[in-house]
Amino acid sequence: MTEPVAAGDFIRDTVIRDNEQQTYAGRVQTRFPPEPNGYLHIGHAKAITVDFGIARDFGGLCNLRLDDTNPDTEDVEYVDAIVSDIEWLGYEPAQVLHASDYFPTLYEWAEHLIRTGFAYVDDQDGETISAQRGGYGRPGVESPYRTRTPEENLDLFRRMRAGEFAEGSRVLRAKIDMQHENMQMRDPVMYRIRFRHHHNTGDAWCIYPTYDWAHGQSDAIEGVTHSICTLEFDSHRPLYDWYLEHCPLPGDQPKQIEFARLELTHTVTSKRRLLTLVNDGIVSGWDDPRMPTLQGLRRRGYPAAAIRDFCRDIGTTKTNSRQSIEALEAYVRRELNRTSQRRMAVLNPLRLVITNWPVDEQGDPVVEFFPIANNPENEADGVRDVAFTGELWIEADDFAEIPPPKFFRLSPGKEVRLRGAYLVTATGVVKDEEGNVVGVEATYDPASKGGNAPKGRKVKSTMHWVSARHAVGASVALYERLFSAAYPGERTGEPLDDVDPDSLRLLEGCKVEPALAETAPGEVVQFERLGYFALDGQTPMLFHRTVGLRDEWAAIQKRQA
Ligand code: ATP
Ligand code: MG
């Protein structure tokens, strides 16, 4: 596999320059600031690796800050999931903090802005304020309340906070410039009235700060030096700086740095859309193995290390683009190839009876045990003994009564290798009343013990098998892409139009070797010839296909070369 070349890292360059110039006395502090209104997804993983990675690489620290300033959409269910997902990904926040813990300071600083003439209470409704904002090349209109005195504003703001006014009847706005070429600077709203219960502050507040008012100030309160966010906040940076310059900060003024969001083909990462998938029952929940959430990927069997390596190698850039899902899968495959135990599992079982198989003194079929390597990539994983007898399960696809051209697997008269055991030759077909093939008869060659072809004999296929007597039942979930289109929504504008309704196929009645009953919940194993499969964390003997064995990414790169 060719590795993607790591793109240049302008964020690390900025940190290095700040350290050289002693901008923050050599201090490096970042934060990861999710809004607890949904589960973390693969895009957040990128942000986490950047935020935590930079702090670690420069001997600094990174806090988790729950950006919980909007009581309408947030929930403590999400807070718990966020904390555990970060830990799973392999990072440990220096502290877990809440933006809502700063409500008192934000309030004080808002009064400070009012007193210094930089904020005012506006009695107009949201629609009017929006309309007055104007647009690019269109002038803004100043609110008739813009010239209120600091005393009047202070009185009204305190009464807003005391709950004297109805929702939507007043807001606090920063007094900047209604003709500014950047719309964010046209007297942005700082506080709205909301009589809502907040998951952290309860009913203590009925005014809530906007994102822009809360974010930079929270950074400054915590001592953040580099506030890394995604490109869509680029136009907010002047406002970020303006607020900081006008507040009585306890220390250094942090700087905001933006990078491109991670997007993947065949995937959506908008939390709103993911919520719709859950609410509309298109998936079974946030942890459905088809979801790009960290919980979904984890349940699917994606190793955290593969996600981290992928995020590192794609680099950090200033241009939005989509990464191939196949590239991520290549990382998953590479990691699992190294770590996973090999097992045999038959997904669509067909009975194979060896007619010349010996019986013992009691007349029972002989059982032989063959040592098979657990992981050829890691000798230390050793071998396991796999039971072999005269009745086996093989994959229905591995047999054809009338073989099509180039079919090298089992068919009448053909000889194949049963992995690690013997060579067998098909001699007959068993059919039910309707003429369906329900079994195969074969003979084995005792001279081929261990699966070795006697000298001069060529055997084109090696097939997996499970002893019928020893087999354990299992269910296997096969997944296709949840979105069939590489760029969901490109066709109609609505990504959900590209959902593949048949992206899950559940196979029941699979037959797997007994060692698989010892698999730990969540463990990923390789089913030989079939792919990587993760045992579900809750449902016994349900395996999710993590990814197939074929490296589609290598094929795509070859085609492009
Ligand atoms: P959504 O738009 O899906 O709601 P968001 O950007 O609002 O996502 P937050 O929880 O507010 O999500 O984001 C937390 C942090 O993760 C922010 O710094 C944000 O910039 C970053 N982030 C979110 N999505 C991505 C992504 N696709 N790629 C990189 N970083 C992301
Ligand atoms: Mg958001």
Side-chain angles (χ1 to χ4, degrees):
M1 184 186 119
T2 36
E3 291 201 27
V5 179
D9 190 337
F10 68 96
I11 303 181
R12 280 181 168 75
D13 293 345
T14 306
V15 175
I16 290 167
R17 208 168 326 114
D18 281 332
N19 280 348
E20 281 165 6
Q21 296 168 358
Q22 290 288 301
T23 316
Y24 299 104
R27 229 163 42 77
V28 176
Q29 186 171 330
T30 58
R31 83 288 168 264
F32 173 62
E35 191 180 348
N37 62 354
Y39 284 74
L40 299 183
H41 51 61
I42 183 72
H44 291 114
K46 174 66 195 173
I48 290 169
T49 59
V50 171
D51 294 329
F52 285 91
I54 285 184
R56 188 197 51 213
D57 294 352
F58 290 94
L61 61 90
C62 178
N63 291 319
L64 166 62
R65 184 202 310 146
L66 297 151
D67 193 9
D68 55 352
T69 54
N70 180 358
D72 291 346
T73 54
E74 294 161 8
D75 198 285
V76 68
E77 169 200 352
Y78 300 126
V79 175
D80 297 341
I82 288 168
V83 171
S84 78
D85 285 351
I86 293 172
E87 191 186 327
W88 174 74
L89 198 57
Y91 298 95
E92 195 189 339
Q95 291 185 76
V96 179
L97 305 168
H98 295 80
S100 57
D101 288 339
Y102 312 134
F103 284 173
T105 309
L106 289 171
Y107 179 83
E108 258 176 56
W109 290 359
E111 286 206 351
H112 173 85
L113 288 188
I114 292 172
R115 268 189 250 104
T116 49
F118 288 111
Y120 63 98
V121 173
D122 195 334
D123 297 2
Q124 303 181 107
D125 59 32
E127 227 170 283
T128 311
I129 291 174
S130 264
Q132 287 173 349
R133 186 153 289 140
Y136 194 73
R138 276 189 297 131
V141 176
E142 293 190 355
S143 163
Y145 301 97
R146 200 174 195 266
T147 51
R148 278 174 163 159
T149 62
E151 291 69 34
E152 194 186 351
N153 282 319
L154 213 48
D155 172 60
L156 287 169
F157 184 53
R158 286 176 179 170
R159 288 164 62 195
M160 272 171 68
R161 192 243 179 285
E164 286 186 31
F165 306 124
E167 275 189 21
S169 66
R170 283 177 177 80
V171 292
L172 185 73
R173 296 176 72 179
K175 189 170 175 176
I176 307 179
D177 180 357
M178 285 308 290
Q179 308 312 330
H180 204 287
E181 60 182 18
N182 181 331
M183 296 310 123
Q184 310 291 344
M185 300 294 274
R186 294 191 177 178
D187 291 11
V189 172
M190 296 169 62
Y191 277 98
R192 308 184 208 85
I193 301 171
R194 280 262 185 293
F195 291 93
R196 291 297 145 81
H197 188 83
H198 186 282
H199 65 92
N200 187 36
T201 58
D203 297 312
W205 296 88
C206 64
I207 55 171
Y208 287 95
T210 53
Y211 171 88
D212 287 306
W213 170 238
H215 206 88
Q217 288 40 258
S218 303
D219 286 341
I221 292 166
E222 289 173 6
V224 167
T225 56
H226 300 85
S227 179
I228 303 162
C229 63
T230 37
L231 226 45
E232 69 272 23
F233 291 103
D234 180 71
S235 65
H236 296 239
R237 187 169 3 105
L239 178 57
Y240 180 96
D241 291 337
W242 187 94
Y243 279 135
L244 290 171
E245 280 154 18
H246 289 79
C247 284
L249 306 184
D252 293 325
Q253 182 174 328
K255 68 170 63 159
Q256 177 181 302
I257 307 172
E258 312 87 19
F259 71 97
R261 294 173 83 87
L262 164 60
E263 304 286 352
L264 284 175
T265 56
H266 299 282
T267 308
V268 305
T269 49
S270 137
K271 278 189 278 194
R272 190 169 55 82
R273 291 235 159 68
L274 297 178
L275 184 63
T276 309
L277 290 171
V278 174
N279 287 345
D280 291 0
I282 297 169
V283 296
S284 61
W286 287 98
D287 65 348
D288 186 297
R290 290 166 294 176
M291 290 282 271
T293 52
L294 295 187
Q295 306 229 341
L297 296 173
R298 175 183 184 174
R299 192 151 167 241
R300 177 86 174 250
Y302 277 39
I307 297 175
R308 285 197 305 268
D309 289 353
F310 172 73
C311 287
R312 178 198 61 210
D313 291 348
I314 58 174
T316 312
T317 69
K318 277 271 189 194
T319 25
N320 283 316
S321 68
R322 252 175 219 257
Q323 303 289 332
S324 289
I325 183 83
E326 291 86 0
L328 172 58
E329 287 175 344
Y331 279 81
V332 170
R333 209 177 275 116
R334 187 173 58 177
E335 179 69 16
L336 292 176
N337 180 46
R338 217 168 53 72
T339 57
S340 73
Q341 305 296 292
R342 273 54 169 177
R343 296 287 182 259
M344 291 198 283
V346 175
L347 303 193
N348 295 299
L350 177 66
R351 191 177 291 270
L352 178 102
V353 177
I354 299 176
T355 51
N356 61 339
W357 188 251
V359 291
D360 64 15
E361 281 134 41
Q362 281 82 47
D364 296 325
V366 166
V367 176
E368 280 196 60
F369 288 89
F370 289 104
I372 297 184
N374 284 321
N375 182 0
E377 301 289 322
N378 182 11
E379 224 170 286
D381 283 343
V383 297
R384 67 196 184 287
D385 287 324
V386 186
F388 185 96
T389 59
E391 271 195 45
L392 305 164
W393 295 112
I394 61 166
E395 210 67 69
D397 285 354
D398 280 339
F399 177 78
E401 188 182 9
I402 303 162
K406 300 211 168 149
F407 185 87
F408 297 120
R409 289 164 280 164
L410 199 60
S411 58
K414 276 262 179 61
E415 184 171 54
V416 299
R417 173 184 296 105
L418 294 179
R419 162 94 168 107
Y422 284 109
L423 303 186
V424 295
T425 304
T427 51
V429 178
V430 184
K431 292 187 178 176
D432 65 10
E433 283 145 30
E434 278 134 48
N436 302 309
V437 175
V438 294
V440 180
E441 287 173 344
T443 55
Y444 85 111
D445 178 357
S448 64
K449 197 175 171 117
N452 304 308
K455 239 188 148 139
R457 252 192 13 239
K458 272 219 162 60
V459 176
K460 283 219 166 117
S461 277
T462 299
M463 296 172 10
H464 59 277
W465 51 269
V466 176
S467 157
R469 246 177 75 191
H470 301 87
V472 176
S475 308
V476 171
L478 301 178
Y479 300 103
E480 300 301 328
R481 311 249 179 253
L482 182 54
F483 294 88
S484 48
Y487 294 77
E490 202 181 32
R491 212 164 31 97
T492 63
E494 176 46 65
L496 297 183
D497 290 344
D498 290 317
V499 165
D500 175 359
D502 303 316
S503 54
L504 161 64
R505 196 150 60 90
L506 186 65
L507 303 177
E508 280 164 320
C510 306
K511 301 288 186 186
V512 305
E513 66 167 274
L516 283 167
E518 317 288 306
T519 309
E523 185 185 342
V524 186
V525 292
Q526 185 192 103
F527 289 174
E528 292 208 22
R529 297 176 65 223
L530 298 175
Y532 296 97
F533 292 78
L535 180 59
D536 191 71
Q538 255 103 56
T539 311
M541 296 313 280
L542 166 63
F543 290 89
H544 304 283
R545 181 166 66 191
T546 310
V547 67
L549 291 177
R550 204 160 55 95
D551 188 350
E552 290 161 89
W553 179 233
I556 288 170
Q557 285 180 313
K558 217 176 198 169
R559 255 182 275 137
Q560 286 169 349

